[in-house]
Amino acid sequence: MTCDDRCNRYDRRDLGLLLLRLGTGGVLAAHGAQKLFGWFGGHGLEGTGAFMESVGFAPGKASAAASGLAETGGGALLVLGLATPAAGAAAAGAMAGATAVHAPNGFFNTGGGYEYAATLGLAAAGLAVTGPGRLSLDHALGHVLDRGWMVPAALAGTAAVTAVVVGARNRRVRERQQGTQDALFE
């Protein structure tokens, strides 16, 4: 017997989406908890804020709180399969910021590159687009927080905010580099 989209039982797509949500959301939530609370070997808001400031995000502590909330909240909501468009978009936006920091180091994570951040961001964005599947709170609640119109709205809103934040960060980094340029003649 085959089961199509109208079938009432769960199929392997629902199980696959659940596994993807658990893995991606769990990693994001733990990563954000490092920033917010200093859990799992993280540095908490103070330490992460100082790091954020050093890589051009200002104010550092507010940037750490925003990225920590996007990762922790977005990740936890992805695990639950609740408000999936907003959760996936928020997490993807946070990972776009991390990608901008690591991009000068190339692609691979072994050299400090953006491979890890980009992978998490793309997985979160993919979940925002595809939805959580039937093994989710969104499905159990009748998709009240997972409507079709919410996907482009969440992704567009996050893209706009991310572009502004990353653009300001990149401007600060360029200004800092210009101010520390070595003299041509001594």
Side-chain angles (χ1 to χ4, degrees), residues 71-165:
E71 292 170 15
T72 304
L77 290 172
L78 285 174
V79 165
L80 297 171
L82 182 63
T84 305
M95 291 299 99
T99 297
V101 170
H102 294 282
N105 300 324
F107 178 70
F108 291 104
N109 192 45
T110 54
Y114 63 92
E115 169 189 20
Y116 179 69
T119 300
L120 286 174
L122 288 169
L127 286 166
V129 171
T130 60
R134 289 182 284 184
L135 298 170
S136 67
L137 286 179
D138 275 336
H139 181 73
L141 297 173
H143 294 277
V144 295
L145 300 174
D146 180 32
R147 303 278 187 217
W149 64 268
M150 294 175 180
V151 174
L155 290 172
T158 298
V161 170
T162 302
V164 169
V165 170

Side-chain angles (χ1 to χ4, degrees), residues 171-183:
R171 218 173 12 263
R172 280 189 288 279
V173 168
R174 275 192 311 274
E175 289 169 0
R176 201 180 293 161
Q177 288 171 343
Q178 289 171 352
T180 61
Q181 184 177 7
D182 293 333

Side-chain angles (χ1 to χ4, degrees), residues 8 13-14 31 43 61 65 96 98-99 111 136 140 154 161 163 170-171 175 177:
N8 286 330
R13 283 171 285 192
D14 295 310
H31 197 64
H43 300 288
K61 192 170 179 180
T99 297
S136 67
V161 170
N170 290 346
R171 218 173 12 263
E175 289 169 0
Q177 288 171 343

Side-chain angles (χ1 to χ4, degrees), residues 32 35-36 48 52 62-72 94:
K35 289 179 173 71
L36 291 177
T48 304
M52 297 287 272
S63 297
S67 66
L69 286 171
E71 292 170 15
T72 304

